[in-house]
Structures are given as C-alpha cells and as structure tokens.
Amino acid sequence: MDIISQLQEQLNEMAMVAVNTFGTLQRDAPPVRLSNSYPDPLNPTTANPSPDDPAQPQPQPGAAAVAGKGAPAQAQPAPAAPPALDLAEHPKAMSHALVLAAKKFDALVSALPLSSEEDQLKRIKELQAENEIVGSELQKQLEAAELELKQVEALFNEATDHCINLKKPD
C-alpha cells in the first residue's frame, strides 16, 4: 500500500476516533446546572434547591414507574444495573487514542519523500513521455484489432452467403 493510501486511512481513523470521542462525551456528560436561580430541569417541582443539599432526595430512575403501578416496591425485582463506567477515565482513554492516531499520521507525513519543484516537474515530464509511448502502443493495438474485426466480418459474411446459396429452395 502506498503512503498516500496509508495517510487517507489514518485520516479516516482520526476522524472516526474524534467523532466517537465527542459523541461519548455528549452522551455521558452529567447534567450541569447553570445557576441556582434557574429551576432544575430534572426535577421541576422543587423550587431552586441547592445542588449540594443532602436533605433533598435524589430521584431514582425506576421509582416513579414502580410507584405509579400501585404495587409495593418490594414486589418488583430491581433491574440489573449495567456495569458502571469510569466516566473520569473514559474521556482520557479516548483522548489518548486520538493523540496516538495523530502521532501516527504525523509519522506518515514525515515519511513522505521530499522533492523540489524542479524534481517534480522533471518527474511529470517523464510520466507524460511514458504516457505518450503507452498511448501510441494502445492506438496501434486498437488499429490492428479493428483490421482483424473487419477481416472476421468479411469471412463471416462470405460464409453466410455460401450457406444461403447452398440451401435448396422449397
């Protein structure tokens, strides 16, 4: 695989890691209150509670649904909690993956061959000359193929004429 293809793949990997990192941060970030003067969007019934007040009961995710059914809380088995993610370490790990991908990209860029504008122009002229040679060879092969096609068509027409002339009328 050439260096340009490797660079393209590495750039795609960096973009994927970045999108996953930002999406995960958006998904897992805890809600933050802008100010104590604004009502709590998660609990609108309380009037300006302090976020550090331990007297305020924290709402349980399944408590309202269980209480609304009229069944005692003990009758319903508690749903198995998903394994707790370490929200402090997860962004660090994803950031580390993004930095590693960027370093790999930088290494690939530094591996690119350096050449001057004169060297590039010389290489372009060489490639154009090679292209002209290959193009002329292809043109010769095309002309030879067209000639052979005409010969085959002529032989086919001659063979069909002979077959038609040999057929006896009804």
Side-chain angles (χ1 to χ4, degrees), residues 134-145:
V134 171
S136 64
E137 288 177 11
L138 284 174
Q139 186 63 36
K140 288 178 186 176
Q141 289 179 358
L142 177 64
E143 291 170 359

Side-chain angles (χ1 to χ4, degrees), residues 28 67 109 144:
D28 295 341
V109 168

Side-chain angles (χ1 to χ4, degrees), residues 47-112:
N48 299 331
S50 172
D52 299 327
D53 187 7
Q56 293 290 332
Q58 298 297 325
Q60 298 297 324
V66 172
K69 293 180 183 176
Q74 289 80 13
Q76 296 290 331
L85 293 174
D86 188 2
L87 295 179
E89 292 298 319
H90 196 70
K92 290 179 185 178
M94 296 187 84
S95 300
H96 181 68
L98 185 60
V99 168
L100 287 178
K103 285 182 179 181
K104 186 175 178 183
F105 184 81
D106 289 341
L108 288 170
V109 168
S110 66
L112 286 172

